């Protein structure tokens, strides 16, 4: 799907008073089911594969594989099964062993509508984050990746983490911004440390307000941390202004899978034999 078509659809959804929903897909069945549910965006990235293998989403930030190559491999499973929904690729913009321009061209030829910045150093903090920035592996490379993608007319939906990163990504040409509240907290492999919903609403609002000062047309979706369930997303949208929807990864595929399989097996185990 062309970027212009995808953007028109997203804006029409918002104008109609409906929430824009994006979903991470680590498997073909996840993508197929999300599309059947009416999802507006599907995003595939390396953490999706690890998450659906039973590992925490932050495994996508560690040296367990070539993140960009994993996305290419996943595309063979997801792209052919998705019929009418824009699919975005999670791109590791700090990858020092890949020419990002030609790689983005390849992704577009493969059938991706756009990109997101994942893995992202935005999820690192403290001295380690400082050292990454000091040694040429910082968030600015992800901003540059989004700029290159925008130049190629790819839909861009980067994760942002504070006002500074929000402004940088908006200036780079981001179409959709996803303020990231941290690792999702629910389920068997979710985090236990997170912001509250109230704190998240304030942070999302702050980033949204900074973004529209740069580009009044930018679309903002919330994501992560305590925003794990539909009612959590409803809380954020009800306590912010101008936030258009929600992007879920663990929330969209891991949590429903954990519950559904567990319940199905429990029901089978409850069958009497006499």
């Amino acid at each position: 799907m062309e970027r212009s078509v995808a953007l028109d659809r997203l804006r029409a959804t918002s104008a109609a008073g409906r929430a824009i929903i994006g979903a991470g897909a680590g498997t073909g069945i996840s993508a197929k089911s999300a599309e059947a549910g009416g999802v507006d965006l599907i995003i595939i990235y390396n953490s999706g594969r690890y998450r659906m293998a039973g590992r925490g989403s932050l495994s996508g930030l560690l040296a367990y594989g070539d993140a960009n190559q994993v996305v290419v491999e996943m595309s063979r499973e997801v792209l052919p099964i998705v019929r009418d929904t824009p699919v975005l690729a999670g791109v590791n913009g700090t990858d020092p062993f890949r020419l990002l321009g030609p790689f983005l061209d390849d992704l577009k030829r493969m059938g991706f509508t756009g990109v997101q910045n994942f893995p992202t150093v935005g999820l690192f903090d403290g001295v380690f984050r400082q050292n990454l920035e000091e040694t040429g592996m910082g968030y600015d490379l992800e901003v540059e990746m989004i700029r290159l993608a925008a130049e190629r007319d790819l839909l861009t939906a980067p994760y942002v983490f504070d006002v500074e990163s929000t402004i940088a990504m908006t200036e780079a040409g981001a179409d959709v911004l996803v303020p990231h509240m941290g690792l999702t907290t629910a389920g068997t492999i979710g985090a236990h440390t997170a912001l509250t919903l109230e704190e998240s609403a304030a942070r999302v609002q702050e980033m949204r307000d900074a973004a529209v000062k740069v580009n009044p047309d930018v679309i903002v979706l919330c994501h992560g941390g305590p925003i794990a369930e539909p009612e959590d997303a409803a809380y954020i949208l009800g306590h912010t202004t101008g936030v258009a929807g929600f992007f879920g990864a663990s929330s969209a595929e891991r949590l429903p899978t954990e519950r559904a399989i567990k319940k199905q097996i429990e029901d089978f185990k409850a069958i009497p034999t006499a």
Side-chain angles (χ1 to χ4, degrees):
M1 185 182 297
E2 294 297 322
R3 168 181 172 271
S4 60
V5 175
L7 271 177
D8 286 345
R9 286 190 180 188
L10 296 178
R11 288 170 178 156
T13 295
S14 190
R18 301 192 305 272
I20 296 169
I21 303 299
T27 66
I29 192 65
S30 297
K32 185 175 184 178
S33 299
E35 185 172 51
V39 78
D40 300 293
L41 291 168
I42 292 173
I43 302 93
I44 64 175
Y45 49 84
N46 68 330
S47 272
R49 169 172 286 183
Y50 301 144
R51 180 167 50 243
M52 298 308 285
R55 311 303 178 190
S57 294
L58 290 185
S59 58
L61 300 180
L62 300 176
Y64 299 149
D66 180 342
N68 287 327
Q69 184 58 35
V70 168
V71 167
V72 171
E73 294 167 359
M74 292 171 68
S75 72
R76 295 197 291 268
E77 183 173 344
V78 172
L79 289 176
I81 209 167
V82 174
R83 299 303 178 193
D84 193 38
T85 306
V87 180
L88 310 187
V91 176
N92 182 5
T94 64
D95 186 346
F97 302 105
R98 198 177 300 267
L99 294 173
L100 283 180
F103 182 59
L104 292 170
D105 293 334
D106 289 343
L107 293 176
K108 189 170 185 178
R109 281 192 295 269
M110 289 166 59
F112 284 102
T113 297
V115 299
Q116 185 176 57
N117 59 324
F118 196 90
T120 172
V121 300
L123 285 170
F124 290 112
D125 56 15
V127 174
F128 184 58
R129 170 65 181 276
Q130 183 177 346
N131 289 163
L132 287 172
E133 300 288 349
E134 292 169 346
T135 54
M137 293 176 279
Y139 189 82
D140 61 307
L141 296 178
E142 298 176 29
V143 175
E144 175 65 8
M145 183 275 289
I146 293 297
R147 185 187 67 78
L148 291 172
E151 289 177 354
R152 286 160 170 77
D153 204 32
L154 286 159
L155 185 72
T156 50
Y159 282 131
V160 293
F161 301 89
D162 51 31
V163 167
E164 182 181 6
S165 61
T166 295
I167 292 172
M169 284 297 191
T170 309
E171 290 178 342
D175 299 303
V176 180
L177 292 174
V178 187
H180 199 308
M181 297 298 105
L183 190 64
T184 301
T185 55
T188 61
I189 52 175
H192 298 285
T193 303
L195 301 169
T196 66
L197 281 171
E198 184 179 50
E199 291 168 336
S200 295
R203 290 188 62 177
V204 170
Q205 187 69 67
E206 182 182 34
M207 286 184 255
R208 179 266 172 191
D209 292 346
V212 297
K213 288 180 181 179
V214 178
N215 176 12
D217 295 324
V218 71
I219 297 168
V220 178
L221 310 178
C222 58
H223 170 78
I227 317 170
E229 304 292 348
E231 56 267 28
D232 301 328
Y235 177 93
I236 299 295
L237 299 188
H239 289 77
T240 56
T241 301
V243 178
F246 169 72
F247 165 57
S250 293
S251 299
E253 63 172 353
R254 174 176 65 81
L255 297 180
T257 300
E258 288 178 355
R259 293 166 184 158
I261 294 176
K262 179 175 180 289
K263 179 63 166 59
Q264 186 81 338
I265 296 302
E266 288 172 346
D267 289 347
F268 276 120
K269 290 293 292 182
I271 297 172
T273 58

